[in-house]
Amino acid sequence: MIEIGRYNTLSIARIVPPGAILVDEEDSEVLLPNKYVPENAKDGDELQVFVYTDSEDRPVATTLTPKVMRNEFACLEVKDVNNIGAFMDMGLEKDLLVPFSEQQKNMRPGQWHMVYVYLDQITKRMAASAKIHYYIESENIDLVNDEEVDLIVGETTPLGTAVIVNNKYQGLVYENEVFQELLKGEKMRGFVKEVREDGKVDISLRKIGMDQLEDGAAKIMERLQLNNGKLSIHDKSSPEEIQMMLQMSKKNFKRSLGILYKQKLVLLKDNSIQLIK
């Protein structure tokens, strides 16, 4: 069965003037328009495509990468609003509808909102709801302190930045613990600080224990983690190299590196520093 709002692995049944007719094992058909058909494609080729509905509510396939799939959360930008609702950019030719009944507050073009994407059972179209509390799991939270988790960056609140954790839970990164720019809609990794009694999750962008490091040492650790545990920089690197890579002075770098070395968090090599795993 071809699933709307998800990736499907389908075979080319035949090439027709509008594009390629793709089929699943049950011979259900969907059109892949010409502009997405790979060069030299032929009958029998298997393709992985995303299936959604076009402006006339017909299932259609694409090789474009959507920003969100069905049954997922995403923080998306509002592109337009009309008398039906708001339309959000989901990375495809057709925008994602948030009906007025599914908005927490009136949406306006240019705003970013966290939404949950679902399949409307009546129209069989993908749609979204900004009433994410209906879809958040707040009981029996299967997380432990210091666990590494997937995050989707959401809106800024008076306390910090709201995030969705593992596509299930509501999380928060406190404002005084943010040491980097967080872009709405960005996907990243973080660590569980605490699962609260109200079902929300406190999140750190640093591995627990790094909160006690000074900012310079924490910054080096973050860059190491983002660069597969190795940086081609060392205590004899030029001030210009250090500034370019870490945006800190050589004096600060050497002091911070010393902290990490004493805590046995890094190895010092001739031409690099490496994270001790």
Side-chain angles (χ1 to χ4, degrees):
M1 178 179 177
I2 295 176
E3 292 191 272
I4 294 174
R6 297 190 186 279
Y7 282 103
N8 295 256
T9 300
L10 306 174
S11 300
I12 297 178
R14 58 190 182 279
I15 304 293
V16 295
I21 300 297
L22 308 181
V23 295
D24 63 5
E25 294 178 352
E26 300 173 0
D27 288 331
S28 298
E29 295 185 352
V30 65
L31 174 69
L32 178 67
N34 272 320
K35 56 187 167 184
Y36 303 124
V37 176
E39 190 175 353
N40 300 322
K42 61 186 183 302
D43 292 2
D45 286 354
E46 278 197 348
L47 301 175
Q48 187 177 54
V49 293
F50 184 78
V51 178
Y52 65 114
T53 54
D54 64 15
S55 57
E56 297 182 18
D57 292 337
R58 298 171 301 190
V60 64
T62 180
T63 54
L64 295 175
T65 302
K67 296 179 179 179
V68 62
M69 295 192 294
R70 167 179 156 194
N71 300 336
E72 289 185 350
F73 293 92
C75 190
L76 303 175
E77 184 179 11
V78 179
K79 289 183 66 177
D80 192 22
V81 177
N82 64 17
N83 59 349
I84 300 174
F87 292 84
M88 308 189 88
D89 177 14
M90 65 173 295
L92 303 178
E93 291 185 13
K94 183 182 178 184
D95 296 325
L96 182 66
L97 172 66
V98 185
F100 285 117
S101 61
E102 295 296 333
Q103 298 179 24
Q104 285 279 57
K105 55 187 177 182
N106 289 338
M107 295 181 170
R108 300 182 184 281
Q111 293 179 339
W112 290 72
H113 293 273
M114 186 70 75
V115 294
Y116 180 82
V117 177
Y118 63 93
L119 186 68
D120 187 293
Q121 293 304 311
I122 298 175
T123 65
K124 301 303 180 184
R125 301 180 209 155
M126 289 175 66
S129 173
K131 297 180 178 180
I132 63 171
H133 56 280
Y134 290 126
Y135 304 96
I136 291 289
E137 294 186 24
S138 58
E139 297 181 359
N140 302 317
I141 297 178
D142 186 21
L143 295 173
V144 296
N145 290 356
D146 203 23
E147 180 178 347
E148 189 171 10
V149 290
D150 293 313
L151 306 176
I152 303 172
V153 177
E155 300 167 55
T156 302
T157 75
L159 293 177
T161 300
V163 293
I164 295 295
V165 182
N166 285 356
N167 199 48
K168 290 183 180 180
Y169 312 116
Q170 179 77 63
L172 182 71
V173 182
Y174 288 96
E175 183 180 11
N176 62 353
E177 297 178 6
V178 176
F179 300 99
Q180 64 193 78
E181 184 180 11
L182 298 180
L183 302 176
K184 292 178 181 177
E186 181 180 9
K187 295 182 179 181
M188 59 195 309
R189 304 284 285 174
F191 300 89
V192 176
K193 286 187 66 178
E194 182 182 4
V195 177
R196 292 164 34 186
E197 291 183 0
D198 62 3
K200 296 181 181 178
V201 185
D202 290 344
I203 293 292
S204 174
L205 300 181
R206 301 172 175 174
K207 190 170 179 62
I208 307 306
M210 285 182 62
D211 290 333
Q212 281 68 52
L213 295 175
E214 67 157 38
D215 287 351
K219 192 171 193 177
I220 294 172
M221 287 292 288
E222 288 171 358
R223 288 301 300 270
L224 280 165
Q225 290 168 348
L226 290 170
N227 204 50
N228 297 318
K230 183 177 180 180
L231 291 176
S232 56
I233 198 170
H234 47 90
D235 59 354
K236 293 184 173 55
S237 295
S238 69
E240 292 76 18
E241 288 178 293
I242 295 168
Q243 179 65 35
M244 181 178 296
M245 183 173 291
L246 296 169
Q247 292 77 55
M248 67 173 66
S249 68
K250 183 167 184 176
K251 181 178 178 181
N252 189 17
F253 170 71
K254 292 182 71 172
R255 182 178 65 249
S256 301
L257 193 59
I259 293 171
L260 298 176
Y261 181 73
K262 287 178 183 178
Q263 294 193 19
K264 298 181 179 180
L265 294 173
V266 298
L267 290 174
L268 306 183
K269 300 289 189 177
D270 288 341
N271 297 307
S272 65
I273 55 176
Q274 294 183 17
L275 190 62
I276 296 177
K277 299 182 178 180

